[in-house]
Amino acid sequence: MTRLFVKYNFGLLLLFFFFSASVFAQKTGSISGIVLQKNTQQALVGATINVSGTSINTISDSSGRFRLLNIPVQTYNVLVSSVGYKTSTIYNIVVSVGNENVYTVELENNDNKLQEVIIKSNKRSVRAASLETPLSVQRLTSEEIRSNPGGDFDISKVIQTLPGVGGGQQGGSFRNDIIIRGGASNENVFYLDGIEVPVINHFQTQGSSGGPQGILNTFFIEDVKLSSSAFDARFDNALSSVFQFKQKNGNANKFQGNLRASFTEMGLTLEGPLSKNKKTTFLASATRSYLQYLFQAIDLPIRPNYWDFQTKITHQINNKTTLTFIGIGAIDDFSFASPKEATPEKLYALNSSVNVNQWNYTIGASLKKSIPNGYWNLSLSRTSFNNTITKFEDNENPKPESQTLDIVSVENENKLRFDVNKNINGWKISYGASAQLASYTNNSFAVILKEIRDANNDTIIQRAIIQNFQSPLKPFVRLGAFAQIGNRFIDNRLGVSFGIRSDVNTFTTSGMNGLRTLSPRLSVSYVLTNKWTWNASAGIYYKIPTYTILGYAENNSLVNKNIEYQSSTHYTTGVEFLPNDALRITLEGFYKQYNNSPVSVRNGISLANLGTDFTLLGNEAVLTNGKGNAYGIEFFAQKKLTKKFFGILSYTFYRSLYSGANGKLVSSSWDNKHLLSVTWGYKFSHNWELGLKFRYQGGAPYTPFDEVVSRVNYLSQGKGTLDYANLNSQRLNGFNSSDVRIDKKWNFKKITLDLFLDVTNWYVAKNPSIPEYTFTRTSDNRTFKTTDGLPIRADGSNAIPTFVKNDDPNVRPTIGFIIEF
């Protein structure tokens, strides 16, 4: 490890032990928030808020607001209750001097006439399900996200602890490729306070969703809800999952914030009131990475650098109407540098990588108004994603004549959504519509294959295939509508919900035929006993192809205009066991059938197997004639904080297969078969906390290289050419890793200091990687060895092929601090 790293961590260790030796007087903190009626979103007056294990309590005022003061600093659960409503528990609240915890609590009506035992079972504080989505749903709180070992304050990494969630071919050790139940990483949708946010990762692969680091600020997040089936009809374009990120509101009582720093990044978060009447609050943050300095210190030839920003402003117009504004954005910059000590692995990384520079933002405003028996939402948002990618035969010495990739691509979406939600005589009804104006530009130059001639420059060995176009795609409109209705029957034991939606667009040939995307879904749940519930769902879901596919052109003609919406039909069933209010156990089986999956005309493979690099996924001619299926079983157990302990155990066995042009189903790139994750945390006295996580992911399939074609094209491409005739015929060893995190907090008069040690892969497990095709280099790594001692030929005929496989353990110890003020 470098001198810079040692100095940084040694200084923090000194600070760590200095404060450990200090003793401070008892300090107190506070908790505040607002209580709402879930069905109408109106303020709930007179709700009782109790701090578990203490006599501290209060009631909500005429605006639904509450504030608990003088709470001794430690970790608590808080119970919120009111006559006629189901009690809600907020778990794992860390009370400190520095920041006041702010929560929005929604209480459900409890107006049924069941027997007492059934009423008690429906309280279900730990339950994450709803009438529309009774299964395949998980929820994580803010503290579970922030304290996750190895999570690095990155939500995209934290959710890999949940059942059915994989991290890509190398277990998510480098990229956040969110793979849900064997589906591709572009089959997920993300909503932030009800507004869709398409880009949640830095250096995100366009046409997919993966990237090396998440954008969302975890200190904004109150909880995260993941649905992997039985999707609410209000959500469009989801084939594998829906993520709902609920942000907290800014503190209405005082100005506060935190400063976070580690060896990889520094972030500042601020919040507070913007009006004296406490009706307007704000949240704002900015984060700056240090990755370029870290990579320089360890002599890697790539230099990633990023900024991200996030804000939320909430204004309560009156007791029935709330206006919210959100904004999130990122600036990503990438560059190369010559390694000080050249190795074959470093030089391969240098010339096989692309140079990515991106910026993106999503801004939006939503208006929520309470109406008789319900409420409505109106939201308007805009997303822009600008992506520039370049590559040269020699990235270290780029020259115009050796450029092999030059892409400038911009996606813009302007979205208007409206939905109405009502509860009438036990019937839960929702309906709404959406309209989007989408635009996409793409100037692409790509050398797919370079013209190669023989040694005498007389005979063409390989003809060039060059992609060079400016997309003529004009702005087009996307429309959608949905309705959902549900109720409970048989003394409230049986819950049934039916939904339907349809989506159309003005671009594709059959895009305005709403019958082709008619998407019904049915969910059923039955309370077997006071602790056991059986759940089942079935539904058909549709997704419009990505803009990279829609905007691809040849000879100034949009060649993918005839494609269809991709579809996925889900069948899911399972049981849920709730032995107490803090423990939830589920066992589920699922089957997903895919139709109209995009298949590459050039390579004949399903695009569902691609998207783990940093180029554009779908920037080519496709046919939507691919099929696929994914099926499996998953087990999940979640224990909320009680007696200082909380934890998650999940296991999934699944298969994922897709077909290409030949119609044959083969293992997809995500067919790991086994996913196991164990995460637990323990709260010690004196504000010490220990967290430990273990993950195992079965070996991922991969495609071998075509060694004949690779030899000819290696010098121009910087990497080998895959043999798609043997797609995913090989398989890596299984991935396993364990992460540990230790936190210690000190509370001063008005400031809280949290020092943490977070070690990824602490037991130094090897990281299985795909062997990469390259040419053998000379001993000084300045050039390539040849069979005849002469300079290497353009067709590589005198090169000595070899494979580079870097299975070295990826261990990342991080010491950092959080200052709350």
Side-chain angles (χ1 to χ4, degrees):
M1 197 59 66
T2 67
R3 184 178 300 176
L4 176 64
F5 181 82
V6 172
K7 283 183 177 181
Y8 174 86
N9 283 340
F10 182 70
L12 283 177
L13 280 172
L14 286 178
L15 190 64
F16 187 92
F17 289 112
F18 172 77
F19 285 116
S20 292
S22 304
V23 179
F24 302 97
Q26 177 70 58
K27 300 297 190 303
T28 62
S30 55
I31 301 172
S32 66
I34 186 170
V35 184
L36 303 175
Q37 302 176 50
K38 186 171 184 178
N39 291 345
T40 65
Q41 293 296 293
Q42 277 191 283
L44 186 57
V45 181
T48 301
I49 300 94
N50 288 287
V51 179
S52 181
T54 76
S55 59
I56 300 172
N57 63 80
T58 188
I59 61 173
S60 57
D61 63 17
S62 60
S63 298
R65 298 188 181 278
F66 68 89
R67 194 180 190 197
L68 296 157
L69 301 172
N70 301 316
I71 308 171
V73 294
Q74 65 177 66
T75 302
Y76 300 94
N77 297 330
V78 171
L79 280 71
V80 184
S81 61
S82 185
V83 177
Y85 294 86
K86 300 175 186 177
T87 299
S88 177
T89 302
I90 311 171
Y91 289 93
N92 205 355
I93 299 178
V94 180
V95 175
S96 65
V97 169
N99 284 175
E100 181 173 284
N101 293 278
V102 181
Y103 293 93
T104 299
V105 184
E106 298 180 352
L107 295 187
E108 291 186 72
N109 290 78
N110 194 12
D111 53 0
N112 58 72
K113 297 181 180 180
L114 291 177
Q115 299 174 3
E116 182 179 352
V117 65
I118 302 300
I119 293 174
K120 182 177 179 181
S121 75
N122 283 341
K123 179 170 66 174
R124 298 186 171 187
S125 299
V126 73
R127 193 180 187 190
S130 64
L131 182 64
E132 300 85 359
T133 310
L135 76 171
S136 303
V137 58
Q138 322 297 341
R139 190 186 297 272
L140 293 175
T141 66
S142 57
E143 186 62 24
E144 289 170 327
I145 295 167
R146 289 199 289 265
S147 62
N148 187 274
D152 198 23
F153 303 100
D154 186 346
I155 293 175
S156 299
K157 290 183 174 66
V158 174
I159 59 178
Q160 293 174 21
T161 64
L162 297 177
V165 183
Q169 288 182 323
Q170 292 179 279
S173 58
F174 175 61
R175 283 175 55 96
N176 295 330
D177 291 304
I178 303 172
I179 309 301
I180 309 289
R181 290 180 170 179
S185 62
N186 63 0
E187 297 177 10
N188 315 303
V189 294
F190 311 94
Y191 284 82
L192 189 65
D193 288 343
I195 291 177
E196 187 176 2
V197 180
V199 184
I200 67 165
N201 283 302
H202 291 284
F203 301 103
Q204 182 161 306
T205 302
Q206 193 170 2
S208 186
S209 64
Q213 181 68 32
I215 294 175
L216 295 175
N217 183 345
T218 58
F219 290 93
F220 275 47
I221 304 301
E222 191 167 320
D223 68 49
V224 179
K225 182 178 179 181
L226 164 63
S227 305
S228 49
S229 193
F231 308 134
D232 191 311
R234 72 185 68 240
F235 301 116
D236 64 313
N237 246 29
L239 295 183
S240 282
S241 77
V242 176
F243 285 87
Q244 298 175 67
F245 301 101
K246 178 185 175 183
Q247 296 185 109
K248 68 177 186 176
N249 291 326
N251 194 325
N253 301 302
K254 66 173 185 175
F255 176 85
Q256 63 181 31
N258 68 70
L259 175 68
R260 182 183 83 251
S262 68
F263 201 63
T264 58
E265 65 179 21
M266 176 177 285
L268 176 66
T269 301
L270 301 172
E271 63 176 296
L274 289 177
S275 63
K276 292 182 179 180
N277 61 9
K278 300 182 180 182
K279 291 188 175 182
T280 308
T281 63
F282 82 96
L283 288 162
S285 74
T287 303
R288 170 77 159 91
S289 80
Y290 296 148
L291 281 176
Q292 70 274 31
Y293 304 119
L294 174 62
F295 284 22
Q296 181 180 1
I298 60 179
D299 198 30
L300 287 180
I302 56 177
R303 299 287 191 271
N305 179 30
Y306 62 78
W307 287 83
D308 59 57
F309 312 91
Q310 195 167 335
T311 189
K312 177 181 181 181
I313 298 173
T314 305
H315 176 61
Q316 188 176 6
I317 298 173
N318 53 49
N319 283 346
K320 292 186 176 182
T321 310
T322 301
L323 176 65
T324 303
F325 171 83
I326 71 164
I328 183 171
I331 301 172
D332 303 332
D333 179 60
F334 196 91
S335 60
F336 296 106
S338 301
K340 295 178 182 178
E341 297 182 10
T343 65
E345 292 80 9
K346 292 177 183 178
L347 294 173
Y348 178 84
L350 178 63
N351 282 319
S352 64
S353 301
V354 295
N355 191 331
V356 182
N357 290 275
Q358 297 179 350
W359 59 261
N360 69 82
Y361 68 81
T362 295
I363 57 173
S366 62
L367 188 67
K368 180 181 292 185
K369 182 176 176 60
S370 176
I371 57 177
N373 301 312
Y375 63 95
W376 56 255
N377 285 304
L378 176 66
S379 67
L380 179 65
S381 65
R382 175 178 170 82
T383 294
S384 186
F385 181 26
N386 187 298
N387 190 18
T388 301
I389 305 174
T390 60
K391 187 179 184 299
F392 296 83
E393 292 182 11
D394 184 356
N395 281 328
E396 191 175 3
N397 300 292
K399 298 177 181 178
E401 61 271 19
S402 67
Q403 188 163 20
T404 59
L405 191 63
D406 186 8
I407 298 175
V408 179
S409 178
V410 180
E411 296 179 9
N412 291 306
E413 289 182 328
N414 301 282
K415 303 177 183 180
L416 178 67
R417 296 179 186 269
F418 180 74
D419 60 80
V420 178
N421 307 270
K422 287 193 171 187
N423 281 266
I424 303 174
N425 297 325
W427 289 93
K428 190 174 182 181
I429 303 168
S430 61
Y431 54 89
S434 62
Q436 301 183 34
L437 178 63
S439 65
Y440 176 75
T441 61
N442 183 358
N443 295 324
S444 278
F445 169 79
V447 178
I448 308 301
L449 293 176
K450 185 179 181 180
E451 181 182 285
I452 304 294
R453 293 177 176 267
D454 64 9
N456 298 320
N457 205 32
D458 295 329
T459 305
I460 296 177
I461 298 175
Q462 173 181 274
R463 295 191 178 277
I465 300 178
I466 296 177
Q467 185 184 86
N468 194 355
F469 71 91
Q470 181 175 345
S471 177
L473 180 64
K474 297 195 175 356
F476 65 98
V477 174
R478 294 167 54 186
L479 302 171
F482 79 93
Q484 187 123 11
I485 186 170
N487 203 342
R488 296 191 178 276
F489 309 93
I490 314 177
D491 291 334
N492 230 28
R493 288 182 179 272
L494 175 65
V496 180
S497 182
F498 175 78
I500 193 166
R501 77 167 291 125
S502 178
D503 294 278
V504 297
N505 76 88
T506 60
F507 170 66
T508 59
T509 302
S510 60
M512 289 303 292
N513 186 347
L515 294 177
R516 298 176 78 97
T517 59
L518 203 60
S519 174
R521 72 273 322 265
L522 175 69
S523 297
V524 179
S525 64
Y526 189 80
V527 179
L528 301 170
T529 69
N530 65 329
K531 295 181 179 180
W532 289 89
T533 303
W534 169 78
N535 305 292
S537 72
I540 304 174
Y541 310 104
Y542 288 92
K543 176 184 182 299
I544 191 172
T546 61
Y547 294 120
T548 52
I549 294 176
L550 299 178
Y552 177 73
E554 293 177 359
N555 300 319
N556 203 38
S557 175
L558 294 163
V559 300
N560 293 327
K561 191 175 177 64
N562 292 325
I563 58 177
E564 301 286 345
Y565 281 71
Q566 185 179 0
S567 71
S568 180
T569 302
H570 291 206
Y571 303 96
T572 311
T573 189
V575 292
E576 179 182 60
F577 177 51
L578 300 172
N580 55 60
D581 288 341
L583 180 61
R584 176 174 178 246
I585 299 172
T586 65
L587 178 66
E588 295 183 7
F590 61 90
Y591 179 84
K592 300 193 294 186
Q593 182 177 357
Y594 290 93
N595 287 293
N596 300 336
S597 293
V599 173
S600 168
V601 172
R602 184 173 66 242
N603 298 321
I605 67 167
S606 172
L607 298 193
N609 291 293
L610 307 176
T612 60
D613 57 16
F614 293 93
T615 57
L616 267 65
L617 174 63
N619 199 34
E620 58 182 307
V622 302
L623 297 174
T624 47
N625 59 356
K627 296 184 180 298
N629 58 56
Y631 55 88
I633 58 172
E634 64 183 31
F635 172 84
F636 176 68
Q638 182 178 29
K639 183 185 181 300
K640 294 293 186 178
L641 178 69
T642 55
K643 297 181 180 180
K644 299 184 177 183
F645 172 79
F646 60 95
I648 292 175
L649 167 65
S650 67
Y651 170 74
T652 304
F653 171 79
Y654 73 99
R655 296 301 311 274
S656 172
L657 306 101
Y658 285 89
S659 70
N662 61 6
K664 181 181 178 182
L665 288 171
V666 298
S667 292
S668 76
S669 298
W670 329 115
D671 185 38
N672 297 87
K673 297 185 180 180
H674 301 280
L675 299 172
L676 173 66
S677 176
V678 183
T679 304
W680 64 266
Y682 190 83
K683 305 272 187 176
F684 294 92
S685 56
H686 306 296
N687 295 317
W688 285 89
E689 182 175 344
L690 173 66
L692 189 66
K693 178 171 67 179
F694 171 80
R695 288 193 305 122
Y696 172 80
Q697 183 171 292
Y702 71 94
T703 303
F705 291 98
D706 184 324
E707 296 194 32
V708 174
V709 180
S710 293
R711 177 189 286 266
V712 174
N713 291 281
Y714 179 79
L715 292 179
S716 63
Q717 297 297 315
K719 57 183 180 180
T721 303
L722 297 176
D723 179 12
Y724 287 123
N726 292 293
L727 177 69
N728 291 332
S729 59
Q730 308 295 313
R731 196 174 283 269
L732 295 173
N733 293 325
F735 165 87
N736 69 91
S737 177
S738 182
D739 311 324
V740 63
R741 179 181 171 115
I742 302 172
D743 282 79
K744 167 61 179 173
K745 291 183 175 68
W746 292 269
N747 289 280
F748 299 91
K749 187 175 181 180
K750 293 184 178 180
I751 293 175
T752 297
L753 172 64
D754 178 0
L755 286 183
F756 62 86
L757 169 66
D758 197 343
V759 183
T760 301
N761 192 21
W762 62 269
Y763 62 61
V764 199
K766 286 188 175 183
N767 187 22
S769 64
I770 298 173
E772 300 290 353
Y773 182 95
T774 185
F775 291 159
T776 303
R777 291 184 173 270
T778 57
S779 58
D780 60 3
N781 288 307
R782 292 181 180 275
T783 187
F784 294 107
K785 277 186 179 181
T786 57
T787 55
D788 53 12
L790 297 175
I792 193 166
R793 300 187 188 114
D795 63 358
S797 57
N798 62 341
I800 304 174
T802 187
F803 290 88
V804 173
K805 186 175 184 181
N806 187 1
D807 282 348
D808 291 344
N810 180 16
V811 181
R812 189 177 70 247
T814 298
I815 295 179
F817 65 83
I818 304 168
I819 299 175
E820 299 178 1
F821 53 86

